[in-house]
Structures are given as structure tokens and as C-alpha cells.
Amino acid sequence: MITMFKFNKNVLLMGSIFFLLILAACGEEEGTEEASGSDGGEGTESTEAAGEELESAKLVLNWFPKSQMGGFFAAQSEGYFEENGLDVDIQPGGPEVSTIQMVAAGDADFGLAHADQLLLARNQGMELVALGASLQNSPQALMFHEEAGLEDFEDMNGRQAYIEPGIPYWEYLMNEYDLSEVQQLSYNGQHTNFMNEPESVSQSFVTSEPYFMEREGIDVDTKLISESGYDPYNVVLFVTKDYLEGNEATVEKFMSAYQPGWEYYEDSYEEVNEVIHEANENIAVEELKFEAEAQHDFVYGGDAEENGVGHMTEDRWGKLIDQLYELELLDEQVDPNEVFTTEYLSEN
């Protein structure tokens, strides 16, 4: 018994020495790889490779996944969020989902909405801060049958117009133009009635509805709402003021992936569209392609061409605030600098 105990002890001792030698060798090899940048050619370890735990964050979309959210899906699929230490859960929106309510209630960290929606929410006591405008200009438009020949907004008089009740731009048009003879009907997301009424008008996005109409064999034309002078930023990334103040490091990480995601989507949208299609099988890849190409100048043109995707200005926000105040949709003219920040955006 004594002899066996000595034998086992020696075996354990030799095994321990052997194990330590292996660890030392591995450590030297790992150190050499880090020094040579073998993890990607630049010598920068990802958070996962460094063994750090990813921080969870939730983004809620303002509609079902589509090309207007392409930069966010690119940031996720290409690992930009992960490289910045985040595990981002992208949650779809829809007609029953209020991104503003979810973010304000703390059920999501980041949300997407249009600039005028953020201002109207602030008027109701929700302090939200815009971080980046994915679409520099609004693709919202009035759609009409090609043969109807609408040239100006007042040409809608005497026609039926399918418009979402309470939508801010309609209030603006009603105030700027004499549309007293327009028969406003509630827009429900369907276009059956519009298609069967050659003289009717419908709200739309130039990045999507014309594709549907062409597929149905109906020739349509559109008139951008922005031609009236009302042009809020669209697909705006936002957080609450409290979240920004308490989680600035998380916001910095998110925004470090935001612009690279949109930059990747510009040239690789067909690749990323496959990812979007997996998240929303109800939207065809061909439709996503149309959207991506139709929205290109809205995302990458304007101020974004010189300053980078997401760029916003005090003048644009100030003008929108003035317009909503004149329409009596805002109780006061808030300081634009309280509702947006470009601090976390990098310029080209």
C-alpha cells in the first residue's frame, strides 16, 4: 500500500509538471499571434476573443424589417455591434407597436421613429434624444394614378385622399394650401380602393408603394411631401434623455457600429437584404432591392454625403419645431439642442 501511494504521487507530480509546460508553450504561441495581429491582420482583439462578456441592448424598429433598417442589420450580421462589446436584440415593429412608448417605458433601449413623432412625444412629457437620422430627407409622398396628372398639392381638390388620421404632414398641407374640397378617407395600409379609383390619391413612401403598383400593372406617379417645405428626418435613432445620461458608454458603443453598418449596406445591400428577408419572410428580396436603390440618396445624399450617415443640424430641427408650433401641435418652441445630438457621430 505504501509503495502504490508513492507511485501515484510521483505520477501526479510528473503530470502536473507536464501540464504546466503545455500551458507555458501555449501562452508563448498566443502571445506571438497577438503581436503579429493574426486575429484579423490588425492586431485588435474582439470582445469575444478577449473573453469579455457582451453587454445586452435592445433596438425596436419602427416597422417590420425592411431596407430602411439596412444599416442596423448590417451592423449585426457583420459583427460591428459585437466588436464594440454589444449583443443587440433587434425587435420588429408594426402597426401595434409604439417604439416611443416602448423606449420611454424602458422596454427597449434604442428605438426608431420620425423626427416629428419625437417632437410630438416630447410635447407629451417624454424627453427623447435623437442620435442619428438614417434618412436625411423624407420619402413620404402622395401617390396618384399617372393619368390623373396632379402637378400641385391643390390639384387634390375634388378627389378622395387616403391619409392616416392625425399624421403631421397632412396638418401642414391643410394649413399651407386650400384643400377644402379634398375628401379625406382613413388610410389603413391597403391600396385596393386606391387601385380601383383612378382619380384618388393615397399616402405612400416612394421607396415602396410604386413597386407594389408596378407589380399590379398600375402606372402611378408621386409627389414628395418635402416639396411643400415639410421635410422631417426619417428613421431617426433615439433614446431617452435619462438612458443617455446613465448609459453613455453603451450609446458610444452602439454608435460606433451605426455608421459602419450603413456604410457596409451601401455597397453590399443585396447581401444584407438576405439577412433582412430571413427576419421578415413577408417581404420579397426583389422588393428589398427596389427599396435599397430607391432610398440611396435619402440615406447617403444631402448632408450625409459630406458629413456621414446620420448627420443632423440645428437649423433643420429648429425649422421643424417652428412648423409644428405654428400648427399648434407643440405647446412651446423647445431648444433644438435639447432634442438631438451629433456627439456620437463621426464626420467623413
Side-chain angles (χ1 to χ4, degrees):
M1 292 292 293
I2 297 174
T3 304
M4 284 191 66
F5 176 80
K6 289 183 178 180
F7 173 76
N8 290 340
K9 185 176 180 180
N10 290 335
V11 170
L12 290 171
L13 178 61
M14 292 177 64
S16 299
I17 294 172
F18 182 70
F19 179 70
L20 291 172
L21 289 172
I22 291 176
L23 285 179
C26 290
E28 290 177 6
E29 183 179 354
E30 188 174 20
T32 304
E33 288 178 354
E34 289 179 6
S36 63
S38 61
D39 59 324
E42 297 180 0
T44 303
E45 279 191 306
S46 69
T47 301
E48 184 179 34
E52 298 176 14
E53 185 176 350
L54 298 176
E55 179 183 357
S56 297
K58 180 184 288 186
L59 165 68
V60 59
L61 308 178
N62 59 328
W63 197 246
F64 301 108
K66 56 190 304 185
S67 294
Q68 288 184 357
M69 302 91 172
F72 300 99
F73 282 96
Q76 186 181 63
S77 63
E78 294 306 303
Y80 299 149
F81 285 132
E82 187 176 323
E83 288 172 8
N84 285 280
L86 294 180
D87 176 16
V88 176
D89 174 21
I90 300 180
Q91 181 173 327
E96 305 300 323
V97 177
S98 170
T99 60
I100 289 175
Q101 292 289 347
M102 287 189 65
V103 173
D107 295 327
D109 306 308
F110 299 84
L112 301 179
H114 302 323
D116 49 9
Q117 294 173 326
L118 297 180
L119 291 173
L120 295 178
R122 187 181 185 86
N123 194 62
Q124 297 175 0
M126 290 175 271
E127 291 189 291
L128 308 174
V129 181
L131 302 173
S134 301
L135 272 66
Q136 289 291 303
N137 303 99
S138 174
Q140 293 175 314
L142 296 174
M143 179 175 65
F144 51 91
H145 293 254
E146 197 173 76
E147 63 270 21
L150 271 72
E151 295 183 2
D152 200 357
F153 294 102
E154 290 181 334
D155 293 338
M156 287 190 292
N157 279 310
R159 306 172 190 268
Q160 294 178 330
Y162 293 94
I163 306 293
E164 179 184 347
I167 198 165
Y169 72 68
W170 184 251
E171 298 293 329
Y172 178 84
L173 292 178
M174 292 285 289
N175 188 65
E176 291 293 310
Y177 301 88
D178 177 12
L179 303 180
S180 58
E181 297 180 27
V182 175
Q183 183 184 357
Q184 183 183 350
L185 300 175
S186 181
Y187 174 80
N188 61 4
Q190 303 298 319
H191 297 93
T192 304
N193 292 334
F194 167 80
M195 290 188 289
N196 294 328
E197 298 164 355
E199 295 298 314
S200 65
V201 180
S202 176
Q203 69 177 61
S204 68
F205 279 81
V206 295
T207 53
S208 54
E209 271 78 5
Y211 172 85
F212 300 136
M213 296 299 107
E214 181 180 355
R215 194 172 59 183
E216 295 293 331
I218 298 175
D219 296 324
V220 298
D221 204 346
T222 57
K223 188 170 184 64
L224 286 167
I225 302 299
S226 61
E227 294 180 33
S228 70
Y230 187 81
D231 189 23
Y233 292 118
N234 267 217
V235 193
V236 179
L237 177 68
F238 71 94
V239 293
T240 65
K241 179 181 178 181
D242 287 343
Y243 183 85
L244 177 59
E245 292 177 349
N247 301 274
E248 187 172 7
T250 306
V251 171
E252 288 179 349
K253 292 175 184 179
F254 194 103
M255 296 306 291
S256 293
Y258 170 79
Q259 285 178 309
W262 275 112
E263 290 164 3
Y264 187 87
Y265 190 71
E266 181 175 17
D267 296 322
S268 305
Y269 61 87
E270 291 188 88
E271 173 193 332
V272 181
N273 283 347
E274 295 290 343
V275 178
I276 299 175
H277 177 64
E278 289 181 9
N280 180 13
E281 295 182 352
N282 292 321
I283 189 168
V285 174
E286 293 78 11
E287 182 183 342
L288 290 168
K289 184 175 187 294
F290 176 89
E291 283 187 352
E293 294 173 353
Q295 76 180 15
H296 181 274
D297 290 347
F298 291 96
V299 177
Y300 305 101
D303 290 337
E305 186 173 0
E306 180 179 350
N307 300 296
V309 174
H311 186 72
M312 300 174 291
T313 68
E314 182 179 349
D315 287 344
R316 285 280 301 277
W317 277 101
K319 181 178 180 179
L320 179 60
I321 290 169
D322 291 342
Q323 290 172 331
L324 294 176
Y325 180 74
E326 289 173 6
L327 293 172
E328 298 183 353
L329 296 178
L330 296 182
D331 296 330
E332 60 180 356
Q333 290 173 293
V334 62
D335 181 355
N337 293 298
E338 293 183 12
V339 300
F340 87 103
T341 178
T342 59
E343 180 180 349
Y344 307 98
L345 292 170
S346 60
E347 295 187 359
N348 285 342

